[in-house]
Amino acid sequence: LKIIINFLLINLKKPILNLNFKYQVLLYLLFLILVVGASIVYALAFIEKFPYNFDQQLNLIVKSIQFGNGPLIYNMIYLNEYKVQYYGIDFYLQKLPLLPWFYYLILKFSNNFFIFIIIKNIVSFSVLYFACFFSLCSLNKRILDFLILILFIFLIPYNLFVTLNYQYSDCLLVVLLPSLFLILNSKLKNRFLLASIILFALYLTKTSMLFIVTVLPIFVIFYEKKSFIKYNILIGPILAIIFWGSFSYDKINKFVFGANNLTVNSMGMHLATHPEFFDYYPDRSVDLLQAKIDIPPYIKNEREFYNYFDTINKEYFSSYDNKISYLKESFIKINFILFSIKRDGSINKESSIRYSHIVNKIIFNLAIIISIFFFLKYFKNFFKNKIEFYYLLIIALNMLPYVAGWATSKHLIPAFIISFYYLYLRIFLYSSYFNGSDN
């Protein structure tokens, strides 16, 4: 430990490529020690706050995993079926599979919560670690740059909490999306294939990733230089669409794609247009609205469930006044995304300040302003502002579903981390604009 710390202090301003393999391994081990330590602290705090989620041996009670994941994973482990009961109906398409399968594999190994959370975080944090390491290596950047970028995730408490968490899929997005941003801005020979792998994972993690997975590759192909290898970025999205569509066809006799990727999506849109939506949002959890929704007794399967709410949504948007109202209300959601620093989405209304968001929102808005400035500055030489192109594209495609539906604080953490990465790369690495040069 003393040797590696002394080495780093002496060589902080040298390229990462100067690290020989021994020191690369030691640096990664130090990172793992940090991840394990943070995971243990998180586990202790979580057990103290939610002791009913665990048995007396501190094994995780699988059904206690929230947001519909627990019952599904329980059925996968003990009934060998990817199915869950929801409103008394068998659902195969209530959750996308990456998080359930990831947890299934860990829990088949051990139910002990400490082991579970440590394995989960070692895997997820390592994705970002190696994406950052190899991307900066390809750009011939310094050890200091790497340490600043990779350690940033530990510096803001709420961001770290979301990353360490296990209850929702955003704990995976918070490493996958920044990794995608770094890889696309790297000079790695296989960056399009690596980006494709991440897009495959994103598609199977959360439906809000649909625009990033399907639209971003088209822009990449348009934007990048003429080279056949850029088409590798299509492999992951195509395979993910085929995989999930084939699974859905086998289970409900329908190849799903887009808005109907999950059969609960139509109910989600119904919640977003519910007349009492803003009585809850953003202070209280919108999920509480589900208690006010009655499911007709004639609905017997998940296709009928989807079609029922889809019909309601179509009727709502058939009205011009409703369309205008929905458009106006989207600015309330945009205001929350850009400026809100209060706690949100609680069961009991709580409006105290979340201090982590003061830093997050400053970084986020500053990154948007600076990226637009450089994008317009180099607009005539469009291909000179690659980092702005990918930053604005990923942020826009990431935020679009949250404006259409709704965003909570945890949804925004990937964008905050990407914004910090953008600012650091633009100001300190990619541009010497502030030193009087346009390059």
Side-chain angles (χ1 to χ4, degrees), residues 127-191:
V127 171
L128 184 58
Y129 179 94
F130 288 113
C132 187
F133 183 86
F134 289 112
S135 294
L136 293 185
C137 276
S138 74
L139 298 171
N140 198 30
K141 300 310 175 186
R142 303 170 300 172
I143 297 171
L144 175 63
D145 302 320
F146 169 69
L147 292 177
I148 289 174
L149 293 188
I150 197 60
L151 294 178
F152 174 74
I153 202 168
F154 294 92
L155 298 182
I156 299 180
Y158 185 71
N159 299 3
L160 179 60
F161 168 78
V162 171
T163 314
L164 291 170
N165 208 301
Y166 71 99
Q167 299 274 20
Y168 36 70
S169 57
D170 302 275
C171 68
L172 301 182
L173 299 183
V174 81
V175 297
L176 290 173
L177 284 172
S179 296
L180 177 65
F181 174 75
L182 290 169
I183 287 171
L184 286 175
N185 283 287
S186 74
K187 294 182 179 179
L188 291 167
K189 292 182 179 179
N190 294 321
R191 66 185 182 277

Side-chain angles (χ1 to χ4, degrees), residues 385-405:
N385 55 1
K386 176 179 178 179
I387 191 169
E388 279 75 36
F389 177 79
Y390 283 130
Y391 172 73
L392 290 171
L393 183 61
I394 290 174
I395 293 298
L397 295 176
N398 186 28
M399 292 299 111
L400 185 59
Y402 298 134
V403 175

Side-chain angles (χ1 to χ4, degrees), residues 56-108:
Q56 292 183 345
Q57 288 73 43
L58 297 182
N59 292 317
L60 177 63
I61 298 173
V62 178
K63 285 188 176 181
S64 71
I65 302 176
Q66 296 180 0
F67 301 99
N69 291 304
L72 174 59
I73 298 169
Y74 179 90
N75 289 345
M76 292 171 65
I77 294 173
Y78 298 104
L79 302 179
N80 294 316
E81 58 183 12
Y82 193 92
K83 181 176 70 173
V84 67
Q85 282 266 317
Y86 189 60
Y87 286 101
I89 301 169
D90 285 340
F91 272 78
Y92 296 94
L93 307 182
Q94 190 211 8
K95 288 291 176 184
L96 288 169
L98 186 66
L99 183 141
W101 273 105
F102 180 31
Y103 289 1
Y104 166 84
L105 293 173
I106 300 175
L107 291 167
K108 289 292 283 186

Side-chain angles (χ1 to χ4, degrees), residues 267-269 271-272 277 281 286-287 333 401-408 411:
M267 185 178 73
M269 179 53 70
L271 292 176
F277 176 81
Y281 184 79
V286 177
D287 292 338
K333 304 170 190 176
Y402 298 134
V403 175
W406 67 89
T408 63
H411 296 148

Side-chain angles (χ1 to χ4, degrees), residues 180 184 192 195-196 199 209-225 227 230-238 241 257 382-383 389-390 393-394 397:
L180 177 65
L184 286 175
F192 300 117
S196 176
L199 291 173
M209 296 296 103
L210 176 67
F211 293 108
I212 285 182
V213 175
T214 57
V215 176
L216 185 140
I218 297 172
F219 278 90
V220 169
I221 291 171
F222 163 77
Y223 185 78
E224 293 288 344
K225 295 178 180 179
S227 171
K230 66 183 179 181
Y231 290 95
N232 285 339
I233 200 168
L234 295 172
I235 296 174
I238 291 172
I241 291 168
F257 172 73
F382 184 66
F383 296 95
F389 177 79
Y390 283 130
L393 183 61
I394 290 174
L397 295 176

